[in-house]
Amino acid sequence: MYTGVPLASAKTQIFEAVLGFLPDWVQITVLALIVLAVVAGWVAKVRRRLVRRRASRAGLPLPGSARQGTADHLGAYTPPQPGQSGADFLGPYAPAQRQESGADFLGAYAPARQQDDRPA
């Protein structure tokens, strides 16, 4: 007796509907591959746990943990060293150095200075 309430989730119903159109040998192969992927994931997870446990018991650094001085892969995004700050950290994104203003800024196009010959 169907009460109108689905017993499985929508994803499960879609999965079953897609598999229903395929031949039996394809259905069995797809299901076997899914089960194999799940089991392989569990095995990898257990192996990682064992490696981490052995490394921590032996006093070795844990695999995949950050070590001092390995921020080289960050490139331009590496945090500043103790001697660097501000614009030194920005690298190519640092603002240009301030240029002089007025006549100094005009360079060769600046008007020549005129001497005042007026008596004081």
Side-chain angles (χ1 to χ4, degrees), residues 40-63:
W42 287 343
V43 168
K45 185 177 176 181
V46 169
R47 289 187 73 207
R48 273 193 306 258
R49 281 187 183 173
L50 287 174
V51 168
R52 290 182 67 86
R53 180 176 291 164
R54 287 179 185 156
S56 65
R57 286 185 178 179
L60 300 173
L62 297 177

Side-chain angles (χ1 to χ4, degrees), residues 103 106-114:
L106 295 175
Y109 299 103
R113 284 190 166 198
Q114 294 179 357

Side-chain angles (χ1 to χ4, degrees), residues 1-107:
M1 177 174 141
Y2 183 69
T3 60
V5 179
L7 300 176
S9 68
K11 287 188 270 186
T12 303
Q13 290 178 345
I14 292 171
F15 182 72
E16 289 175 358
V18 168
L19 281 181
F21 287 109
L22 299 174
D24 287 341
W25 66 272
V26 176
Q27 289 181 15
I28 294 169
T29 305
V30 168
L31 291 175
L33 289 174
I34 291 172
V35 169
L36 181 67
V38 169
V39 170
W42 287 343
V43 168
K45 185 177 176 181
V46 169
R47 289 187 73 207
R48 273 193 306 258
R49 281 187 183 173
L50 287 174
V51 168
R52 290 182 67 86
R53 180 176 291 164
R54 287 179 185 156
S56 65
R57 286 185 178 179
L60 300 173
L62 297 177
S65 63
R67 282 169 258 149
Q68 202 66 327
T70 58
D72 296 337
H73 68 280
L74 295 176
Y77 302 104
T78 304
Q81 300 300 323
Q84 292 180 331
S85 66
D88 295 336
F89 173 64
L90 296 176
Y93 301 104
Q97 292 188 358
R98 290 188 124 175
Q99 294 185 359
E100 300 292 329
S101 61
D104 294 332
F105 178 70
L106 295 175

